[in-house]
Structures are given as C-alpha cells and as structure tokens.
Amino acid sequence: MTDSAPTPSIVLTAQQWQIFLESLYERGDKLDLREEGGVYHPRKEKVDAYVFSGHAEALRSEEVDGDLWGTLEDIEETADTEEEAWAKIVAFYLGRGCVLMQIQPEEEGGAAEMPEQWLISEPLARRLGLMGRA
C-alpha cells in the first residue's frame, strides 16, 4: 500500500471541529476524550480552541494567536512572509512526527476564508480519535 498524501493531515469542517472540542476535557495537563458516564467539571475541564492550543505544537487561527513569528524563531528559522514562515513551521513539525489538522471554514457570502491549521503530535491525534478521519 502506498501513501499518496505526502503530508499527514486531518480535515474537519467547522461543525466537526466544534463537536470535537465538546467531546474533550482537560484535567491537569492532560487532554482526553469524554466517556459516557464520566464525571466532568463543566467550568474547569471544558475545552475550547484556546485550551486546545496549549496542546498543539503550532497553529494558524483567526480565533487563537499562534505567535507565528515566535514559533519560527523557536525553530531557528527566518522568513520574509507569513506564508513562507508557516511553510517552514509545517515542514519542521511534520518532520518530527506531527500531523496537520485543518478546519475548513463555513462559507459566508459565497467566499470561504482560509482554513485554520493546527500541528499536533501524532500520538495526541490518535488518542483523541482524530486519525483516520477523512
């Protein structure tokens, strides 16, 4: 079996993204899936995009500041544009066992915005049930 996709990636619609976030809880420093019958503290353990960002390696989002230039500096790279910076960040993290997760925006007025992009570790993606989604 050959892998035709050079970039390990996960694609979610905006609705799937919200459902996914609602299926998670954070306890201490651990992010995990809610289980039926589990007891969760609604305020302390709720996961939104901001909470999820604490578990991502890097991100590009309208909702959460991913500090693109700070991340680029952390990986000791330089770039002239945001696009070039993000491409270098993606290449860096994909080469270290991460997967790219894209959240497709809902189209408003016929034109779609750029998708949000999150880089997360493959073990985290597997644990949270993201691997294998189309």
Side-chain angles (χ1 to χ4, degrees):
M1 176 189 277
T2 57
D3 185 6
S4 61
T7 303
S9 65
I10 300 159
V11 178
L12 301 175
T13 65
Q15 182 180 15
Q16 288 171 323
W17 170 239
Q18 288 307 311
I19 292 168
F20 169 68
L21 290 175
E22 291 168 7
S23 74
L24 303 175
Y25 72 98
E26 183 184 54
R27 190 169 288 161
D29 289 336
K30 187 175 180 188
L31 188 66
D32 217 334
L33 287 170
R34 293 177 183 266
E35 296 179 6
E36 190 170 333
V39 177
Y40 306 99
H41 191 283
R43 286 190 184 163
K44 291 182 181 177
E45 297 177 337
K46 182 178 179 180
V47 175
D48 59 12
Y50 181 77
V51 171
F52 189 79
S53 73
H55 299 274
E57 300 300 326
L59 60 110
R60 277 183 93 179
S61 169
E62 291 292 322
E63 189 176 350
V64 180
D65 178 12
D67 189 16
L68 182 78
W69 297 107
T71 301
L72 190 67
E73 187 177 310
D74 289 346
I75 64 171
E76 299 178 353
E77 287 283 353
T78 60
D80 294 325
T81 66
E82 285 189 16
E83 290 303 317
E84 181 185 359
W86 183 245
K88 288 183 176 187
I89 291 167
V90 170
F92 178 87
Y93 282 105
L94 290 180
R96 285 159 179 77
C98 289
V99 295
L100 179 66
M101 180 174 64
Q102 296 186 60
I103 293 82
Q104 298 295 324
E106 294 180 21
E107 292 188 27
E108 291 185 21
E113 302 169 19
M114 290 287 293
E116 291 200 15
Q117 297 183 328
W118 297 67
L119 287 155
I120 58 175
S121 72
E122 186 174 335
L124 178 63
R126 286 192 187 291
R127 189 165 44 80
L128 300 180
L130 288 168
M131 298 301 286
R133 288 186 187 226

